[in-house]
Amino acid sequence: MKATLRFLVVLSLLSIFLPSPLWAQRKTRNVVLIVSDGLRWQEVFTGADPNLLDEKHGGIWADPDRLRHEFWNDDPAERRKMLLPFLWGVVAKQGQIFGNQNKGSIARVTNGLAFSYPGYNEMLTGRPDARIDSNEFGPNPNTTVFEWMNQFPEFHGQVAVYATWEVFKNIFNEPRSHLVMQAGWDLPEKGSLTPRQELLNDLYRTTTRLDDEDVWDSFLQVPLLDYVKTAHPRLLFVGYGETDNWAHSGRYDLVLESAHQFDQFTRQLWETMQAMPEYHDQTTFIITTDHGRGSGLEEWKEHGVEERGSENIWIAVLGPDSDALGERENTATVTQSQIAATVAGLLGKDFHHQFPDTAASLASVLSERLNRPAPAAVDSGASRR
Ligand SMILES: [Zn+2]
């Protein structure tokens, strides 16, 4: 008997006697990485800040009573659910969330700068890069996990970026990576258009811009859902920008509204995908932010080295390969740099092995059975010959 054949026979005999979880396969076939720019861990874990629900410090234009009706409860656990009902009602129940410093879980950036481009670079390439010290840095010299995954035949052409911020063309190095890319105010619809598509392009052309480089979150959501339904991407980045923009604008009421809306958009994407056979029970969402912000009555508006605490973030995961460990408590510190290898690992690829100076994946996100020595790997090695 050939060694390989003998090996396969032994494997199949073993499978009769060993408990089934050891033989379970990775279920994730698709990954979506979603970012709400600059959304603080404080709001994620404790909801609306009572000190900022006024005009003096929160800069609100909204009726304070209406805002409190929408977002206030004396119990922080209820309050955060009012702000982010999908995150707390679904993700934290069926998945995991890191970063509640009140419960001994720290998630942070390691780039030392705590603003957007250095953060997205760390998240997407698995390591900080000291050269990237400005949002105007230009094309990223580093390879993102998205560009790397797009080189595999089974993923090629099915890796996409839908983001409100124009700068993602540089962060993902669009001219080199050739990823599917919808970013900034670029018209989302091309070719011969339906009336609905023409209307969307009209809104892109005619709506007053708060930021010339950053389109409204709701304007992204429409082409994003259309793209998912028609193109079936296997690896997708979704970047929402309003939570950062409204904080810089000093409008705490709109920080809350846009955070709530980001949560609704995430639910809408999850439910849309779960209703499609190619995504149902085989899709993992990683949801996070690129940086934190300062705290207190003034520094909540800004972030960076000047605003202490801006390095603190949060990371949530929901999918069929991640055990339902919920709100993580008393964990080792996790870092933004671990996201790249986690994205690849969920799709069966070893980014950290390919780029050894990058961070390892978040082990606890890949469930127990996937962290054990995998018979699947032995099997494929034996049959490859
Ligand atoms: Zn910012």
Side-chain angles (χ1 to χ4, degrees):
M1 196 185 283
K2 279 188 186 168
T4 307
L5 185 56
R6 189 161 60 229
F7 192 50
L8 290 175
V9 168
V10 170
L11 275 181
S12 47
L13 284 174
L14 274 174
S15 70
I16 297 167
F17 297 109
L18 287 174
S20 62
L22 185 61
W23 298 92
Q25 301 279 319
R26 185 170 32 78
K27 291 181 182 159
T28 299
R29 293 194 72 251
N30 318 282
V31 170
V32 184
L33 173 58
I34 304 174
V35 181
S36 188
D37 198 300
L39 175 58
R40 297 192 303 178
W41 71 272
Q42 291 93 325
E43 274 75 25
V44 168
F45 293 102
T46 63
D49 183 335
N51 299 314
L52 301 178
L53 294 174
D54 63 8
E55 191 181 349
K56 185 159 189 274
H57 300 294
I60 70 168
W61 292 14
D63 173 359
D65 291 337
R66 186 190 61 74
L67 207 58
R68 292 180 76 87
H69 178 74
E70 195 178 355
F71 295 119
W72 186 258
N73 186 295
D74 288 337
D75 178 0
E78 286 302 315
R79 203 156 68 228
R80 67 190 188 183
K81 206 185 292 178
M82 294 167 85
L83 183 66
L84 305 166
F86 179 68
L87 192 70
W88 289 108
V90 177
V91 180
K93 284 215 172 98
Q94 299 170 22
Q96 303 180 30
I97 180 164
F98 295 88
N100 190 350
Q101 304 212 352
N102 302 324
K103 295 186 177 175
S105 172
I106 295 174
R108 63 179 180 85
V109 309
T110 62
N111 58 64
L113 294 173
F115 61 88
S116 288
Y117 198 149
Y120 288 113
N121 173 71
E122 176 177 341
M123 179 192 307
L124 296 165
T125 72
R127 65 194 151 188
D129 182 343
R131 293 173 295 177
I132 297 175
D133 59 358
S134 158
N135 287 340
E136 285 78 48
F137 179 79
N140 196 339
N142 307 310
T143 305
T144 66
V145 68
F146 281 64
E147 181 176 2
W148 187 68
M149 292 296 296
N150 192 47
Q151 294 169 359
F152 293 100
E154 66 269 37
F155 291 97
H156 191 74
Q158 298 182 76
V159 180
V161 176
Y162 270 67
T164 62
W165 199 30
E166 172 98 11
V167 177
F168 281 110
K169 293 176 190 170
N170 282 330
I171 294 170
F172 285 95
N173 200 329
E174 185 190 24
R176 187 188 65 206
S177 66
H178 303 295
L179 300 177
V180 176
M181 176 90 46
Q182 172 63 41
W185 288 90
D186 284 3
L187 295 185
E189 309 292 359
K190 288 151 196 90
S192 69
L193 305 183
T194 64
R196 180 175 174 275
Q197 291 171 319
E198 190 55 63
L199 171 63
L200 181 64
N201 274 1
D202 265 343
L203 289 170
Y204 268 68
R205 287 189 200 97
T206 58
T207 301
T208 304
R209 304 172 179 189
L210 175 72
D211 181 338
D212 203 35
E213 290 191 330
D214 207 2
V215 80
W216 304 107
D217 292 350
S218 61
F219 284 24
L220 180 74
Q221 189 72 0
V222 174
L224 166 66
L225 291 179
D226 287 349
Y227 175 74
V228 166
K229 285 180 204 162
T230 55
H232 309 161
R234 292 195 60 192
L235 176 55
L236 175 64
F237 178 89
V238 181
Y240 298 109
E242 284 192 39
T243 41
D244 190 63
N245 293 335
W246 292 125
H248 286 301
S249 306
R251 288 289 304 275
Y252 195 67
D253 49 345
L254 299 185
V255 169
L256 296 178
E257 299 288 359
S258 58
H260 185 67
Q261 199 57 53
F262 140 74
D263 182 84
Q264 298 300 98
F265 288 148
T266 303
R267 178 197 298 275
Q268 191 179 25
L269 184 60
W270 177 259
E271 290 178 352
T272 298
M273 294 177 88
Q274 289 302 314
M276 297 169 67
E278 51 275 83
Y279 292 117
H280 182 70
D281 279 347
Q282 43 190 345
T283 302
T284 294
F285 275 24
I286 301 175
I287 311 165
T288 185
T289 191
D290 56 329
H291 53 73
R293 326 188 70 83
S295 54
L297 299 178
E298 282 302 319
E299 293 198 346
W300 64 273
K301 299 173 191 170
E302 307 294 336
H303 55 89
V305 285
E306 308 263 296
E307 289 77 23
R308 283 180 48 220
S310 296
E311 70 277 15
N312 299 309
I313 59 169
W314 49 276
I315 303 172
V317 183
L318 172 66
D321 296 313
S322 302
D323 293 331
L325 301 179
E327 183 178 19
R328 303 299 306 272
E329 299 181 19
N330 304 313
T331 59
T333 296
V334 296
T335 65
Q336 186 173 51
S337 54
Q338 293 181 270
I339 291 174
T342 306
V343 167
L346 285 162
L347 295 169
K349 304 291 183 191
D350 195 341
F351 188 75
H352 179 59
H353 181 77
Q354 179 73 25
F355 302 96
D357 54 347
T358 62
S361 59
L362 293 163
S364 64
V365 161
L366 301 165
S367 67
E368 286 274 302
R369 57 199 163 82
L370 297 175
N371 287 317
R372 294 192 199 115
V378 176
D379 191 15
S380 66
S383 56
R384 187 165 55 228
R385 300 190 61 215

